[in-house]
Amino acid sequence: MHPLRDGGGIVLTGGTFEEPTPGGSFGALVNAGLDAFAHAAAPEMPRGLRLSVVSPGWLAETLAAMGLDPADGTPADEVARRYVARIDALPAAG
């Protein structure tokens, strides 16, 4: 946090499991913990810093690489646009 300018922000990457996924219990635990951490820690951030989590879901390219239907994912360029929008929505650094 120390290198960040006042009013800056940290955007963490999480994930979501909309339904039980074989082998996904540890991932579900980590993602739930990350969301809980961000929710609890955000009000404690000093100097007007913000903390948020983006959970983009499966990337279409990852699904395709796994031999699954990429239509069930979000293209990487769309995910990148969402990150940029989230960062742009953070308060201006002073």
Side-chain angles (χ1 to χ4, degrees):
M1 290 188 307
H2 298 292
L4 294 175
R5 294 187 219 160
D6 291 355
I10 300 169
V11 179
L12 303 171
T13 301
T16 57
F17 289 88
E18 294 181 14
E19 56 187 60
T21 303
S25 59
F26 184 71
L29 172 68
V30 169
N31 289 315
L34 185 60
D35 284 339
F37 164 75
H39 182 74
E44 299 175 2
M45 298 290 283
R47 305 183 347 256
L49 296 175
R50 295 202 34 200
L51 176 64
S52 61
V53 177
V54 173
S55 299
W58 285 100
L59 296 180
E61 293 82 356
T62 300
L63 291 172
M66 294 170 58
L68 301 171
D69 185 1
D72 293 332
T74 305
D77 61 343
E78 174 61 25
V79 172
R81 281 193 293 275
R82 292 179 190 178
Y83 272 96
V84 169
R86 181 68 189 121
I87 292 167
D88 286 345
L90 293 172

